Amino acid sequence: MIYGHGDDIYSQNQQIVYNFSSNVYEHEDDNWLYNLLEKNLSVLHSYPEPDATSLVQLLAHRNNISEEEICATHGATDAIYLIAQTFSHSNTAIFAPTFSEYEDACRINRHRITIIKELEDVNRKNFEMVWLCNPNNPTGLTFDYNILVELIDNNPETLFIIDQTYHYFTNKPTLSYVDAVKRENVVLIDSFTKRFALPDLRLGYFVTNKKLKNKIQYYKQPWAVSQLAIEVGKYILQSMTCNLDLASLLGETKDFQERLSNIKGIEVQGTDTHFFLCKTQKGTAEELKKYLVEHHGILIRNASNFEGLTANYFRICTQKKEANMKLIDGITDYMNSFKA
Amino acid sequence: MIYGHGDDIYSQNQQIVYNFSSNVYEHEDDNWLYNLLEKNLSVLHSYPEPDATSLVQLLAHRNNISEEEICATHGATDAIYLIAQTFSHSNTAIFAPTFSEYEDACRINRHRITIIKELEDVNRKNFEMVWLCNPNNPTGLTFDYNILVELIDNNPETLFIIDQTYHYFTNKPTLSYVDAVKRENVVLIDSFTKRFALPDLRLGYFVTNKKLKNKIQYYKQPWAVSQLAIEVGKYILQSMTCNLDLASLLGETKDFQERLSNIKGIEVQGTDTHFFLCKTQKGTAEELKKYLVEHHGILIRNASNFEGLTANYFRICTQKKEANMKLIDGITDYMNSFKA
C-alpha cells in the first residue's frame, strides 16, 4: 500500500470543520443509519456470512442480473486488489490521471504497466487489461458511452476493468450491470461508499460474467464484508428511496465552479460530476492545503501525487452551499496573503 | 475461499438458542461496547486510517515491542492470506488437523503443501514455511513451549507462522510478542476476535521482526481495518481490565468434559483450553448437529471436514453452565433416540 490519499483528516492536528478532500457525498440525513446500527449491534458477536450471500442476492435481483454475476468485497479497493492478483503479470494499461490504487495493486502483482492518456491507445496496442475510472477520479470526467462500448467490443482480447463507483453523481450515461455481464471482457466495480457516505463500512462489489466472477473470487478471503455492513447494504436496497437530488447537486457544482473561477489565480477544470480539479497559480497545492487547514479548518485534496499532475493541482468536492462559500473565502484569503 | 466453517448460524432455518459451534468467548457484558459504538458512529462517514496507525502504536506500547513490528489486518484471516501471498510457491508444512484457512490460503498462492501430524517432521524435512495453531483449533491442545522454541531455533531456514489467537484461553505458556520479534523466523498471528467476542469487527494483526513486517505489508490493501474496529480496539487496550476469569472457565470446561464423558456413546478428547473435540459412536456428527438444531435450538461444529478427522468428530466450546447443561440434555436425548 502507498500513502497520500485524500480524506486524511486523521493526520491533521487542527480540527477540520469543512472537508472537501474526499469524494464522499455528505448530504445524507443519517438518523436511519444510527437506528439501524443500534438494532443490529449484536451481529458484532458472530462471524459474518462468509460471502455476503444475502446482500449479493438482493443486489442481483435489483439490477436484473444473476447472483452468480456479483461478488461482494471489502470496499472497492478489495475488488481492485483481487482483480490485479487474479491477472498477475499481465500487460496492463491504466488511463491516467486516476485513482492510484489501480497502479499500486498492479505493481504489487507484477503487471507490466503502461500509463495511457487517450482511449485510442487501446486500439493501437495489445493490452491484456485496461483500467478505467468512469466518472474518473480526480478529473470528474466521464468517457462517452458509445465510444467506450465500441472500444470494448472492438478489443475482445482485452479485459476492461471499469470502476464506476461515482456513477451515481453524473447524468452522463455509464455502463449498466447488464452491459457488463453480457460481455466476455468487462468487470464493473461499484460500492456503497461514495453514494451513501459510508467509507468506513468497506462495502464494495464487482459485477461481471459468471466465469470471470468465479475466477476472481477464487482469491477472495472469507468474511471480507462485515455483517454490520451487509445489514446496512440490505436496508439501503430495501427501504430507501433514491433521494439524491442530482440536478441540485450538479447545479450547485456549476455555481461553485463559477465562483471559484472568479478568484484571480485559480484555474477551474470542467467536470461531469460533483468533484473536479483546480490549479493554483500562487504557491503549490500543498501550501494552499496547509493554509486552509491552519486558518480556516478546511481540508482540500492536494492532487499533485496523481500521475501527470503538477504541484499546483488540487481536487475539491462540492459540499453544501454554506461550506462552499467558506472555501471561496478561504482561497480568496490565501491569494490575498501573497499581496501582503 | 471454501465453505464449512463453524458459527454457521446464518444458514440455519431454526432459531439457535445456544451456540457451541464457534470458539468465540461469549461471556462478556457488552454494555461498554454499545456505549462506545454509539459515541463513534460518525466515523462511518470517513475513510479509516489507511494502516490503523493509532491502534498499532498502542498495541506495540502495551507489548513492549516497536510499532514497526506489528501490522493490523482485516481479522486474522487477512494476515493468513497476506503471509501466504508474500511467500507464494513455498515448500510448506501445515500441522493438522487445524483451521482450514492456512491450507486454503497456501493452495491459492501455489504453495507445495505437506500435511504433518508430528512436530518432529520439521526437523526431518527442509520446509521453507511451517504453519502452527497454538492452542490448536479444533483440538484445543498447545505445543510444549520449550520444544516449540527449540524447534524454531534449530531450523533457522524455516519460517514459522504461529497463530496464537486462542492464547488468552490457556494457562500453558505460549510465545510472547518479544519471543517473535527477536527471532528472524517467526510470525505470530493474533486478534481481538476470540478474546473479546467480536468476530464481525474483523480486527486482527501479526507480529514479527521489522524486515518481515515490511515484506508482508507490501501486499496489504489500505483501509483494511475499519475506524470503528480501531476505536473499539483502542478502548479495549486503554480502558478494560483483563476480566477474563480463566481459572473458572477452565474449571467449567473440566466439569463439562466429565459430564459429557458420562454420556454413553460420546468420547471426549483432552484440551488445554475451553474448546475440544468429541466423537459420537452413534450416527455421524452431521446427524447429531441436525438433531440438536431441530430439537433443542443448539448449534455444534461438525468437525468432520478438518483434515484427518472422521465423520464422527464434532467440536464444542464451553459456554455458561446453564447452556452446557442444555447440551448435555440434548446429546443424551439424541443417544436415547437410537434405543427407540
Side-chain angles (χ1 to χ4, degrees):
Chain A
M1 56 171 285
I2 58 155
Y3 295 88
H5 287 283
D7 205 12
D8 49 344
I9 283 188
Y10 55 85
S11 62
Q12 305 303 324
N13 293 322
Q14 275 92 344
Q15 204 206 337
I16 299 301
V17 186
Y18 303 105
N19 181 7
F20 291 82
S21 79
S22 142
N23 294 336
V24 167
Y25 182 64
E26 290 281 15
H27 296 219
E28 300 283 351
D29 162 25
D30 50 12
N31 279 333
W32 67 271
L33 176 65
Y34 296 154
N35 291 336
L36 182 71
L37 292 177
E38 232 182 304
K39 271 187 220 147
N40 282 280
L41 282 179
S42 68
V43 303
L44 293 176
H45 291 308
S46 296
Y47 275 83
E49 296 169 74
D51 53 4
T53 304
S54 62
L55 176 65
V56 164
Q57 285 170 342
L58 202 57
L59 268 171
H61 182 69
R62 289 298 159 99
N63 291 284
N64 298 311
I65 61 174
S66 152
E67 63 183 277
E68 292 176 317
E69 295 161 335
I70 297 197
C71 179
T73 55
H74 183 58
T77 307
D78 189 25
I80 294 166
Y81 276 70
L82 283 172
I83 294 163
Q85 187 180 4
T86 307
F87 300 97
S88 62
H89 300 89
S90 287
N91 178 21
T92 294
I94 298 171
F95 187 95
T98 198
F99 185 47
S100 59
E101 289 299 323
Y102 313 136
E103 186 172 347
D104 205 38
C106 288
R107 187 171 43 71
I108 284 169
N109 290 287
R110 301 183 182 80
H111 292 229
R112 280 160 291 136
I113 300 167
T114 305
I115 300 298
I116 59 171
K117 300 197 171 172
E118 291 175 28
L119 280 190
E120 194 44 46
D121 283 349
V122 176
N123 287 323
R124 286 192 287 259
K125 296 171 187 172
N126 291 321
F127 296 117
E128 291 168 283
M129 173 176 274
V130 176
W131 295 76
L132 305 172
C133 187
N134 187 40
N136 192 20
N137 172 15
T139 64
L141 297 170
T142 51
F143 296 97
D144 179 89
Y145 178 85
N146 292 319
I147 291 176
L148 183 56
V149 166
E150 200 185 313
L151 187 78
I152 291 167
D153 292 339
N154 283 345
N155 291 278
E157 302 301 318
T158 303
L159 180 59
F160 289 81
I161 314 300
I162 306 180
D163 180 348
Q164 290 202 162
T165 47
Y166 298 108
H167 73 93
Y168 304 97
F169 302 109
T170 185
N171 48 25
K172 296 285 167 79
T174 54
L175 266 69
S176 70
Y177 294 177
V178 173
D179 284 335
V181 302
K182 76 180 183 193
R183 291 182 161 79
E184 298 289 322
N185 61 333
V186 175
V187 182
L188 275 197
I189 297 172
D190 206 339
S191 92
F192 286 75
T193 297
K194 311 296 179 182
R195 168 65 185 87
F196 300 100
L198 295 168
D200 199 57
L201 281 183
R202 318 301 304 128
L203 184 49
Y205 52 98
F206 66 84
V207 173
T208 186
N209 64 70
K210 183 180 164 186
K211 196 176 143 199
L212 276 175
K213 180 205 159 168
N214 288 337
K215 189 168 178 175
I216 299 166
Q217 188 176 247
Y218 176 75
Y219 292 90
K220 194 169 159 279
Q221 298 172 19
W223 312 301
V225 181
S226 78
Q227 198 65 33
L228 208 59
I230 292 169
E231 296 305 328
V232 172
K234 278 158 47 179
Y235 179 85
I236 286 172
L237 291 172
Q238 283 169 328
S239 317
M240 285 178 81
T241 51
C242 183
N243 59 0
L244 169 66
D245 183 352
L246 183 60
S248 146
L249 179 63
L250 295 180
E252 175 60 26
T253 300
K254 193 162 171 261
D255 183 61
F256 190 24
Q257 287 206 307
E258 273 170 25
R259 288 175 197 270
L260 283 163
S261 308
N262 290 335
I263 303 173
K264 202 174 150 77
I266 291 291
E267 193 183 309
V268 179
Q269 303 204 341
T271 181
D272 295 321
T273 180
H274 68 316
F275 58 86
F276 49 90
L277 285 173
C278 299
K279 265 173 95 170
T280 173
Q281 285 154 5
K282 301 272 186 189
T284 63
E286 188 57 31
E287 283 160 5
L288 172 60
K289 175 182 169 180
K290 199 160 166 261
Y291 180 92
L292 290 171
V293 167
E294 284 176 13
H295 296 269
H296 296 268
I298 291 176
L299 191 62
I300 59 168
R301 170 71 153 95
N302 173 359
S304 63
N305 65 346
F306 281 94
E307 173 80 30
L309 300 189
T310 64
N312 307 91
Y313 280 91
F314 59 98
R315 187 194 67 198
I316 53 187
C317 179
T318 304
Q319 303 296 321
K320 286 180 185 153
K321 172 74 84 184
E322 180 212 347
N324 298 339
M325 296 309 290
K326 295 284 181 191
L327 181 60
I328 301 280
D329 292 346
I331 296 179
T332 305
D333 279 359
Y334 171 79
M335 288 300 168
N336 288 338
S337 74
F338 283 89
K339 294 177 187 156
Chain B
M1 54 171 287
I2 58 156
Y3 295 88
H5 287 284
D7 205 13
D8 49 344
I9 282 188
Y10 56 86
S11 62
Q12 306 303 324
N13 293 322
Q14 275 92 342
Q15 205 207 335
I16 299 302
V17 187
Y18 303 105
N19 181 7
F20 290 83
S21 79
S22 143
N23 294 336
V24 167
Y25 181 64
E26 291 281 16
H27 295 220
E28 299 284 351
D29 162 24
D30 50 13
N31 279 333
W32 66 271
L33 176 64
Y34 296 154
N35 291 336
L36 182 70
L37 291 178
E38 232 182 305
K39 271 187 220 148
N40 282 279
L41 281 179
S42 68
V43 303
L44 293 176
H45 291 308
S46 296
Y47 275 83
E49 296 169 75
D51 53 4
T53 304
S54 62
L55 176 65
V56 164
Q57 285 170 342
L58 202 57
L59 269 170
H61 182 70
R62 288 298 160 97
N63 291 283
N64 298 312
I65 61 173
S66 152
E67 63 183 277
E68 292 176 317
E69 295 162 335
I70 298 197
C71 179
T73 54
H74 184 58
T77 307
D78 188 25
I80 294 166
Y81 275 70
L82 283 172
I83 294 163
Q85 187 179 4
T86 306
F87 300 97
S88 62
H89 300 90
S90 287
N91 178 21
T92 294
I94 298 171
F95 187 95
T98 198
F99 185 46
S100 59
E101 289 299 323
Y102 313 136
E103 186 172 348
D104 205 38
C106 287
R107 187 171 43 71
I108 285 170
N109 289 288
R110 301 182 180 81
H111 291 229
R112 280 160 291 137
I113 300 168
T114 304
I115 300 298
I116 60 171
K117 300 197 172 174
E118 290 175 28
L119 280 190
E120 194 43 46
D121 283 348
V122 176
N123 287 324
R124 285 192 288 260
K125 295 171 187 172
N126 291 322
F127 296 117
E128 291 167 284
M129 174 176 275
V130 176
W131 295 76
L132 305 171
C133 187
N134 187 41
N136 192 18
N137 172 15
T139 64
L141 297 171
T142 50
F143 297 97
D144 178 272
Y145 178 84
N146 292 319
I147 291 176
L148 183 55
V149 166
E150 199 184 313
L151 187 77
I152 291 167
D153 292 339
N154 283 345
N155 291 277
E157 302 300 318
T158 303
L159 180 59
F160 288 81
I161 315 299
I162 307 180
D163 180 348
Q164 289 201 162
T165 47
Y166 298 108
H167 74 93
Y168 305 96
F169 302 108
T170 184
N171 48 25
K172 296 285 167 80
T174 54
L175 266 69
S176 71
Y177 294 176
V178 173
D179 284 336
V181 302
K182 76 181 184 192
R183 290 181 162 79
E184 298 289 321
N185 61 333
V186 175
V187 182
L188 275 197
I189 296 172
D190 205 339
S191 93
F192 286 75
T193 297
K194 311 296 179 183
R195 168 64 185 85
F196 300 99
L198 295 168
D200 199 57
L201 281 184
R202 317 302 304 127
L203 184 49
Y205 52 98
F206 66 84
V207 173
T208 185
N209 63 70
K210 184 181 164 186
K211 196 176 144 199
L212 276 176
K213 180 205 159 168
N214 288 338
K215 189 168 178 175
I216 299 165
Q217 188 176 247
Y218 176 75
Y219 292 90
K220 193 169 160 277
Q221 297 171 19
W223 313 301
V225 181
S226 78
Q227 198 65 33
L228 208 60
I230 292 169
E231 296 305 328
V232 172
K234 278 158 46 179
Y235 179 84
I236 286 172
L237 292 172
Q238 283 169 328
S239 317
M240 285 178 81
T241 51
C242 184
N243 59 1
L244 169 66
D245 184 351
L246 184 60
S248 147
L249 179 64
L250 296 180
E252 175 60 26
T253 300
K254 193 161 173 262
D255 182 62
F256 189 24
Q257 287 206 308
E258 273 171 25
R259 287 175 197 269
L260 282 163
S261 307
N262 290 336
I263 303 173
K264 202 174 150 80
I266 291 291
E267 193 183 309
V268 179
Q269 303 203 341
T271 181
D272 295 321
T273 180
H274 68 317
F275 58 86
F276 49 91
L277 285 173
C278 299
K279 264 174 97 170
T280 173
Q281 286 154 5
K282 301 272 186 189
T284 63
E286 188 57 31
E287 283 160 6
L288 172 59
K289 175 182 169 180
K290 199 160 165 262
Y291 180 92
L292 290 172
V293 167
E294 284 176 13
H295 295 269
H296 295 268
I298 291 176
L299 190 62
I300 59 167
R301 170 70 154 95
N302 173 359
S304 63
N305 66 346
F306 281 94
E307 172 80 30
L309 300 189
T310 65
N312 307 91
Y313 279 92
F314 59 99
R315 187 194 67 198
I316 54 187
C317 179
T318 304
Q319 303 296 321
K320 287 180 184 152
K321 172 75 84 184
E322 180 212 347
N324 298 338
M325 296 309 289
K326 295 284 180 191
L327 181 61
I328 301 281
D329 292 347
I331 296 179
T332 305
D333 278 0
Y334 171 80
M335 288 299 170
N336 288 338
S337 74
F338 284 88
K339 293 177 189 157

